């Protein structure tokens, strides 16, 4: 029996101790008319070897692509040691460190993580993680609404230059609590928010302004200017940033005169594989004034009965298992294992290595830009860090399908979320690509653009892009 | 004492082989957007990092190393084969925004898991996107709200929650904008039906129930509860934290529940990871299925695709940037395939057998079950109320002393309504010998308490640290390491 160690004798002895004749008798408090579950439609059982064969086939179906898609999930080199150590049974098969004395490994690691992440953001404190970047932004907004009580209405300014899936997630989560989300446009020439755009919202109550850096298009927002504007209007600033880029770019705590109040985002670029979109982890940092509004687990350093250093979950009075209906959030399980990997990743990279990853990604983008600028039918709209927006002279979906035939994932189509930009593609390049990869990509894209769109019919309909 | 990684750091040390090659090109980004200082990350060698974190891991209890009877958390064996296959290159390098044609392998697994979850829950629709149980709860309650609103039924502003419920239940209801009303538990561990009748009314949007409940007993009047709630126009939410107790025996859909979540990291054996990742798929009956969160995998003949707005125009929306904890979905799928229908029923049977056996042994040894007349489900509660008074010890003391015997403590002081309680869930993957040993340890600890209660008060003794000062941790907040930091860090 898979994973069940009982011998027939065990079962007999155990039933005798309990004082029942059959295992089925143990379910005799369940009303008879309910005990009729038929689950025969569950797929038949496989053994490990058969399962291995099936999963290799399926993994091969999805593998072998050269990836130039970013859009919130980024391919970086992950040192071998990261997952070797993170998936040790002692990390992977432990649970939330409720029994602190038996969980010092996880707790100390989380304390080290909090230190690294807070420092990367140049803010005072970090929690021990949330689910992912999008839900972390939703929690950051809820946190801002709880913290900024001066406002009569809770109104959050959310630029359209924030990842469209993040905006959808935020709407699904925060509007349940009566918070208004006001989406503000970006300058379509520059691909970012400008002061002129913000001025139109000067007369409104602003609970918080969300500032992405780099934004969804890979463009760098003028973070100092935006931060100052929000603070002048008594709004809080919520930074949503790529943590990898913060080794190179000005971190949220340094924006404007007083810094962003809250920073959040997707932790995936720090040592977590693409893996079909998860598990990743969300991070959330803030100034210390707001620590009691911070949702999720937080680890603190303390001492034991002999005065020796130790670590515990702290400020638990914010949490659902203590405060129930009055908790700051309903979150319980978070993404501990991903944070474990990320902490090991940051330790291996160090400040210089992490910066080098950011620099090399950025310089690869510049190189790719220069190669694309030689193609006369490709227009580079904008993009600064490691992503850019290309406008193509033909259907993006068609080009994506053609490049996929060559095992190249050319980018993320913007046509659905930003139809005003035309046939546009969001392209990403990180430190993992070399010049030959870039040349191959540029050549294949160029070939795809030359081909006439005669085969537009069935093939393309079959490969509709992700939602 | 274990040093912090920052204390191993030496300025200028690098793990060279892991780093990208420096380039000679000049940076062209505007200076006012650049970072001026270095973040406080350690500068260590590869060996230092590997040794440090390997040693830290050894300061943890885990399923792989210890019996971990943490009630309500289902700490059962996490199959290694499943983990290894989820780490295949083809899955790890797969970008979430790949074209459908490049995602058929993953989507096939997700689709088949959706279908299997429908079968075991008796529901009509499943969305795999919620990333943990609490997010599944949020999704389910948001769906209840969307359903009522779609009918113009907007006066319902209250969710009923039994006092024994997980803390996430009331917290999720509040996140969805509802008021919470608590329903007391009767002396037999079932919901107090008269109190429920009195609480139900035109304001009732629904009720959230766990069955078997967190008290480790099956809610026998579930059909009556369903009738009361449905008659009032409310809906029933099933907290699937204990689904492993009834897998293949009873289905939430047949009990009258309308929407529910499933904790993949409990019932479907995905690793708990030191506090996550989890997985909290939500399943719904026909009436509520149109409101499921998206995306969902749809199958057309032999081709899989992601759902679009056209498929689910009434969805409550998106709950994550991509499609939730995909790697956990893969693992749960593989575990389900290793079990098959027979294996799934055995999960409930042997989890229940182990719990009832351990309960019987402890009862014989003189421990007091919280509900002595009831059959245990996959878990049970003992209360140390009497021992606490007579011996001047607490459930906390017993829990801490257990750690000295290299057993993880059961869940303590939950549910809140049972004084000095331990909630014990052995799971189906433990042998009879482990259960016997655990019972003997508990008996021995009780003996120790009689002879020398201070031995318990000061436990544990054999772990890396002694009992920790939580009050100090909360009063004198120390959440980040500040020694040796650069001039720029807070």
């Amino acid at each position: 029996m898979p994973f069940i160690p009982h011998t027939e004798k065990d079962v007999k002895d155990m039933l005798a101790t309990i004082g029942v004749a059959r295992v089925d008798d143990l379910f005799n408090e369940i009303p008879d008319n309910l005990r009729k579950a038929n689950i025969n439609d569950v797929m038949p059982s496989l053994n490990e070897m058969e399962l291995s064969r099936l999963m290799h086939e399926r993994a091969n179906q999805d593998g072998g692509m050269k990836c130039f898609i970013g859009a919130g999930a980024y391919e970086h080199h992950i040192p071998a040691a990261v997952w070797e150590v993170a998936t040790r049974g002692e990390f992977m098969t432990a649970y939330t460190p409720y029994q602190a004395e038996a969980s010092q490994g996880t707790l100390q690691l989380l304390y080290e993580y909090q230190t690294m992440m807070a420092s990367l953001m140049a803010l005072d404190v970090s929690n021990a993680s949330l689910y992912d970047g999008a839900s972390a932004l939703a929690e950051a907004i809820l946190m801002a609404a709880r913290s900024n009580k001066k406002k009569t209405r809770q109104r959050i300014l959310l630029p359209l230059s924030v990842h469209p899936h993040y905006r959808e997630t935020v709407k699904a989560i925060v509007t349940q609590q009566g918070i208004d989300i006001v989406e503000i446009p970006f300058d379509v020439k520059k691909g970012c928010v400008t002061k002129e755009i913000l001025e139109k919202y000067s007369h409104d109550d602003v609970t918080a302004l969300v500032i992405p850096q780099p934004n969804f298009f890979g463009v760098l927002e003028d973070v100092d200017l935006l931060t100052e504007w929000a603070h002048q209007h008594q709004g809080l600033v919520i930074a949503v940033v790529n943590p990898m880029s913060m080794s190179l770019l000005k971190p949220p705590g340094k924006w404007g005169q007083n810094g962003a109040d809250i920073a959040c985002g997707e932790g995936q670029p720090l040592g977590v594989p693409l893996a079909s979109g998860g598990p990743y982890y969300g991070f959330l940092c803030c100034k210390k004034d707001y620590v009691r509004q911070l949702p999720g687990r937080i680890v603190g350093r303390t001492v034991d009965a002999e005065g020796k250093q130790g670590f515990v979950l702290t400020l638990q009075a914010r949490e659902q298992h203590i405060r129930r209906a009055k908790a700051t959030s309903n979150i319980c399980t978070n993404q501990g294992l991903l944070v474990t990997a990320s902490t090991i990743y940051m330790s291996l990279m160090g400040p210089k290595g992490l910066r080098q990853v950011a620099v090399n990604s950025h310089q690869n983008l510049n190189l790719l830009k220069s190669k694309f600028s030689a193609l006369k039918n490709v227009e580079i709209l904008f993009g600064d860090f490691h992503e850019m927006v290309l406008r193509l002279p033909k259907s993006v979906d068609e080009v994506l399908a053609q490049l996929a035939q060559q095992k190249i994932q050319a980018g993320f189509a913007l046509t659905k979320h930003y139809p005003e930009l035309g046939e546009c593609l969001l392209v990403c390049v990180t430190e993992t690509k070399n010049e030959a990869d870039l040349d191959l990509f540029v050549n294949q894209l160029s070939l795809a653009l030359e081909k006439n769109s005669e085969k537009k019919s069935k093939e393309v309909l079959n490969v509709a892009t992700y939602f | 004492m274990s040093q912090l990684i920052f204390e191993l750091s030496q300025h200028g040390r690098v793990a060279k082989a892991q780093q990208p090659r420096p380039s000679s090109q000049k940076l062209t980004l505007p200076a006012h957007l650049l970072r001026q200082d270095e973040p406080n990350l350690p500068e260590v060698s590869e060996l230092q990092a590997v040794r440090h974190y390997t040693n830290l891991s050894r300061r943890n209890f885990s399923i792989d190393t210890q019996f971990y009877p943490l009630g309500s958390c289902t700490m059962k064996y996490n199959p290694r084969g499943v983990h290894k296959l989820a780490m295949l290159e083809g899955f790890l390098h797969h970008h979430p925004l790949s074209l459908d044609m490049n995602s058929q392998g993953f989507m096939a697994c997700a689709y088949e898991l959706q279908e299997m979850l429908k079968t075991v829950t008796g529901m009509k629709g499943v969305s795999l996107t919620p990333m943990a149980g609490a997010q599944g709860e949020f999704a389910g309650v948001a769906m209840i709200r969307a359903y009522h609103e779609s009918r113009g039924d907007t006066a319902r502003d209250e969710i009923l929650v039994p006092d024994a419920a997980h803390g996430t239940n009331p917290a999720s209801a509040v996140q969805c904008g509802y008021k919470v009303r608590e329903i007391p538990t009767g002396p037999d561990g079932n919901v107090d039906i008269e109190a429920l009748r009195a609480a139900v009314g035109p304001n009732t949007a629904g009720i959230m129930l766990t069955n078997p409940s967190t008290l480790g007993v099956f809610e026998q009047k579930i059909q009556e509860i369903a009738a009361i709630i449905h008659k009032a126009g409310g809906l029933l939410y099933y907290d699937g934290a204990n689904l492993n107790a009834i897998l293949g025996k009873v289905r939430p859909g047949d009990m009258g529940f309308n929407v529910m979540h499933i904790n993949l990291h409990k019932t479907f054996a995905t690793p708990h990871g030191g506090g996550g990742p989890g997985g909290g798929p939500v399943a719904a009956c026909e009436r509520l299925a149109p409101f499921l969160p998206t995306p969902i995998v749809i199958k057309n003949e032999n081709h899989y695709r992601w759902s679009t707005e056209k498929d689910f125009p009434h969805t409550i929306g998106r709950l994550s940037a991509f499609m939730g904890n995909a790697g956990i979905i893969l693992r749960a799928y593989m575990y389900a395939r290793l079990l098959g229908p027979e294996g799934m029923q055995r999960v409930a049977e042997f989890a229940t057998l182990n719990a009832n056996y351990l309960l019987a042994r402890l009862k014989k040894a003189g421990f007091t079950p919280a509900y002595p007349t009831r059959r245990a489900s996959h878990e049970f509660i003992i209360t140390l109320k009497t021992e606490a008074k007579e011996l001047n010890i607490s459930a906390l003391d017993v829990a801490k002393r257990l750690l000295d015997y290299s057993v993880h403590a059961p869940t303590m002081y939950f549910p809140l309504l049972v004084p000095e309680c331990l909630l014990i869930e052995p799971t189906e993957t433990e042998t009879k010998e482990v259960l016997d040993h655990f019972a003997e340890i508990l008996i021995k600890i009780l003996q120790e308490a009689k002879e020398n209660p201070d031995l318990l008060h000061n436990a544990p003794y054999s772990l890396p640290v002694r009992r920790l000062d939580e009050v100090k941790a909360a009063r004198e907040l120390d959440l980040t390491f500040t020694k040796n930091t650069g001039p720029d860090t807070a």
Side-chain angles (χ1 to χ4, degrees), chain A residues 377-378 392-394 399 402 444-451:
Chain A
N377 47 3
V378 173
L392 306 181
K394 70 191 248 190
V399 172
Q402 282 179 18
Q444 289 298 333
L445 186 79
S446 167
L447 278 175
L449 294 178
E450 280 165 23
K451 273 190 201 156

Side-chain angles (χ1 to χ4, degrees), chain A residues 416-435:
Chain A
K416 183 192 157 193
H417 295 289
Y418 301 96
E420 67 274 23
L421 295 178
E423 293 292 332
C424 278
L425 188 62
L426 182 65
V427 172
C428 173
V429 60
T430 64
E431 88 284 7
T432 58
K433 300 291 184 291
N434 61 24
E435 191 157 2

Side-chain angles (χ1 to χ4, degrees), chain B residues 335-354:
Chain B
Y335 175 73
R337 290 307 311 269
L338 288 169
L339 293 186
E342 301 81 15
M344 285 194 193
Q345 287 185 40
R346 281 197 293 259
V347 165
E349 288 169 359
F350 285 84
T352 305
L353 177 67
N354 273 1

Side-chain angles (χ1 to χ4, degrees), chain A residues 125-167:
Chain A
V125 288
S126 164
N127 77 359
S129 82
L130 296 167
Y131 303 130
D132 78 340
S135 58
L137 177 57
E139 288 283 6
I141 287 171
L142 292 174
M143 186 181 161
R146 287 193 299 271
S147 302
N148 198 349
K149 291 262 163 70
K150 278 175 284 187
K151 304 292 175 176
T152 47
R153 278 187 71 178
Q154 297 291 358
R155 191 180 278 119
I156 307 289
L157 302 186
L158 181 61
L160 289 169
S161 56
V162 169
H163 197 308
H165 291 178
Y166 282 38
R167 288 185 277 116

Side-chain angles (χ1 to χ4, degrees), chain B residues 54-235:
Chain B
T54 301
N55 281 327
L56 276 192
S57 80
R58 295 168 65 186
R59 294 161 76 90
N60 268 2
F61 280 25
S62 68
I63 301 172
D64 280 4
T65 50
Q66 272 98 356
F67 181 43
Y68 210 128
L70 194 65
S72 194
C73 296
T74 314
M75 301 300 283
K76 62 178 170 184
Y77 175 61
N78 309 140
R80 281 279 155 170
V82 162
H83 167 66
K84 190 174 176 201
L85 294 170
M87 301 289 274
L88 289 173
E89 295 278 291
F91 293 130
L92 285 191
H93 290 165
H94 180 245
H95 194 286
L97 298 174
S98 299
L99 299 179
D100 289 352
M101 65 189 261
N102 298 126
S103 311
Q104 295 293 298
F106 171 73
M107 287 166 113
C109 299
Y111 178 82
E112 287 169 6
L113 181 63
Q114 286 173 190
E115 292 302 302
M116 288 193 278
L117 293 180
K118 284 184 206 168
T119 300
V120 299
T121 59
M123 294 287 173
K124 290 286 182 280
V126 167
S127 167
L128 302 174
T129 67
M131 291 174 283
Q135 212 190 27
E137 289 177 19
F138 172 85
V141 178
M143 288 163 68
I144 288 175
R145 184 168 163 164
Y147 170 80
H148 290 311
E149 281 177 2
S150 74
R151 293 155 42 95
D153 192 355
T154 51
R156 299 179 186 274
D157 61 354
E158 212 168 72
I159 291 277
L160 308 179
V161 178
D163 55 2
H166 294 112
T168 48
N169 289 181
S172 299
V174 168
Q175 276 220 321
C176 286
Y178 279 116
K179 286 185 245 169
V180 171
R181 185 189 284 218
E182 268 200 2
I183 308 295
T185 303
D188 57 355
N190 287 330
V191 167
D192 181 337
I193 291 281
E194 288 321 306
L196 177 69
R197 277 188 210 284
V200 168
N203 290 339
T204 306
I207 189 169
M208 299 178 84
L209 277 180
T210 313
N211 196 14
S213 72
T214 60
L215 301 170
V217 296
F218 192 84
E219 173 57 64
Q220 292 158 301
K221 293 179 188 151
I222 181 58
Q223 292 168 103
E224 199 178 340
I225 294 171
I228 293 168
I229 299 291
H230 283 150
K231 197 171 162 213
L235 295 165

Side-chain angles (χ1 to χ4, degrees), chain A residues 155-372:
Chain A
R155 191 180 278 119
I156 307 289
L157 302 186
L158 181 61
L160 289 169
S161 56
V162 169
H163 197 308
H165 291 178
Y166 282 38
R167 288 185 277 116
E168 288 172 29
T169 305
V170 162
K171 281 184 240 169
I173 293 176
V174 315
T175 50
Q176 299 279 353
Q177 293 189 40
I179 294 166
D180 290 342
I181 298 294
V182 181
E183 291 188 315
I184 60 174
F186 59 91
D187 182 317
V188 289
K189 293 242 160 41
K190 297 176 177 157
C192 60
V193 178
T194 60
K195 189 151 192 199
E196 293 70 52
I197 290 170
L198 278 180
E199 289 305 340
K200 293 184 191 133
Y201 301 88
S202 285
H203 305 297
D204 293 345
D205 257 352
V206 179
T207 305
L209 169 67
V210 175
I211 305 177
Q213 185 76 330
N215 72 21
F216 183 62
F217 307 117
V219 174
L220 298 189
E221 298 278 359
D222 193 343
V223 289
D224 294 331
L225 185 148
L226 301 186
T227 299
E228 283 311 294
W229 183 89
H231 283 161
Q232 276 159 21
H233 292 82
Q234 285 79 49
L236 296 181
V237 169
I238 301 171
V240 52
V241 301
N242 177 341
M244 163 67 62
S245 74
M246 291 301 124
S247 59
L248 173 65
L249 303 177
K250 185 186 278 185
K254 299 290 168 189
W255 294 357
Q257 297 259 322
N258 297 315
D261 302 283
I262 301 171
C264 64
E266 176 57 70
Q268 180 272 334
L270 301 173
V272 178
L274 292 171
S276 300
Y280 298 167
Y281 73 95
F283 65 86
L284 187 55
C285 299
C286 67
K287 292 179 178 168
K288 60 178 179 293
D289 297 354
Y290 306 115
V291 67
R292 276 160 218 282
Q293 295 302 335
L294 193 61
R297 310 286 186 198
I298 301 174
V299 173
R301 183 160 62 157
T302 184
V303 293
D304 73 0
E306 292 171 349
K308 210 158 61 172
Q309 165 179 285
F311 303 88
V312 292
L313 292 175
T314 194
L315 295 177
Q316 296 193 68
R318 302 161 298 114
E319 295 190 70
Q320 48 77 26
H321 64 287
I322 308 286
R323 280 300 280 285
R324 301 176 74 84
K326 293 194 176 72
T328 51
S329 165
N330 68 340
I331 191 164
C332 177
T333 301
N334 53 48
Q335 307 286 110
L337 190 66
L338 291 310
V339 168
T340 304
S342 233
T343 305
I344 302 171
Y345 175 83
M346 286 190 274
S347 301
L348 282 172
M349 300 315 283
K352 294 189 177 58
L354 205 60
R355 187 174 185 279
Q356 199 65 54
V357 174
V359 167
N360 286 27
S361 300
H362 168 64
Q363 289 181 338
N364 260 347
L365 182 85
N366 282 346
L367 188 58
L368 188 62
K369 254 188 198 173
S370 70
K371 290 178 190 289
F372 271 126

